[in-house]
Amino acid sequence: MQDWIADYIARQQAALATVTPAQLAPLIETLADAHRRDAQIFAIGNGGSAANASHFAVDLGKGSSDAVGRRFRVLSLTDNLAWITALGNDARPGDVLLTASVSGNSPNLVKCFEGAKAKGLKTIALVGAKRGKLAGLADQVIVIGDTHYGRVEDVQMNILHLLCYAFWENPQWVQ
């Protein structure tokens, strides 16, 4: 059992190590720019990635916003079907759509990205090693070098936390 645990931890660390600061800095700037322009940030995902999208919206919308002194306009579209359908037509060019998807091929997320691109939204995809269609559609993409759902979702949450804490701990970055 301990060997399996040690192997799992080693593989998790290896998956996280596939993401570099140089890849993440532009995402922080995208979110800072959205905040400066008062643009809406939408987060989406399926399954565990939907939970990550919801968690991201809470952390960016509360903790990060409290630190910078003005709310990020962030919404997880995974939390409320009525809200999703009401906002679907209200997205504006320059708004941001962020997704976490292990496969990168979830049909509903691909369709959402296609619609977002047509409306002029900036798109960000955090995907697993298979990349999928989302990697080709996204303006900014982070590929996590693993295909294991749990490990990829964990790294996605590491990234989402990093994006939130970037402003929580450095509020001047939105100035």
Side-chain angles (χ1 to χ4, degrees):
M1 181 183 300
Q2 290 185 20
D3 288 343
W4 179 87
I5 293 169
D7 182 62
Y8 190 95
I9 291 170
R11 289 174 186 248
Q12 186 66 44
Q13 291 169 332
L16 183 57
T18 66
V19 179
T20 67
Q23 294 172 297
L24 298 176
L27 304 185
I28 293 169
E29 184 50 45
T30 295
L31 297 179
D33 180 61
H35 185 270
R36 287 189 287 271
R37 293 182 297 102
D38 201 35
Q40 182 71 49
I41 301 164
F42 300 102
I44 59 173
N46 291 328
S49 296
N52 284 351
S54 181
H55 190 146
F56 169 72
V58 169
D59 284 354
L60 191 67
K62 175 67 174 116
S64 299
S65 293
D66 286 351
V68 301
R70 184 172 58 85
R71 293 273 169 238
F72 278 89
R73 294 182 60 227
V74 60
L75 178 67
S76 170
L77 296 182
T78 64
D79 294 331
N80 184 321
L81 184 58
W83 193 237
I84 293 169
T85 57
L87 285 175
N89 294 323
D90 294 340
R92 304 171 300 177
D95 285 347
V96 176
L97 176 64
L98 181 149
T99 191
S101 173
V102 177
S103 72
N105 280 321
S106 299
N108 62 326
L109 301 179
V110 170
K111 188 165 183 69
C112 191
F113 260 52
E114 290 169 343
K117 298 290 286 181
K119 287 187 169 237
L121 276 71
K122 176 90 172 180
T123 54
I124 300 170
L126 310 178
V127 298
K130 291 183 179 177
R131 301 177 58 89
K133 293 177 183 174
L134 288 171
L137 288 170
D139 296 311
Q140 296 175 290
V141 62
I142 302 294
V143 178
I144 297 147
D146 203 321
T147 57
H148 183 279
Y149 273 77
R151 285 192 289 271
V152 173
E153 287 174 350
D154 286 349
V155 174
Q156 288 170 339
M157 197 63 234
N158 288 154
I159 293 167
L160 295 172
H161 269 141
L162 180 143
L163 295 175
C164 295
Y165 278 90
F167 303 109
W168 212 321
E169 296 176 5
N170 304 281
Q172 71 278 8
W173 287 354
V174 296
Q175 305 305 323

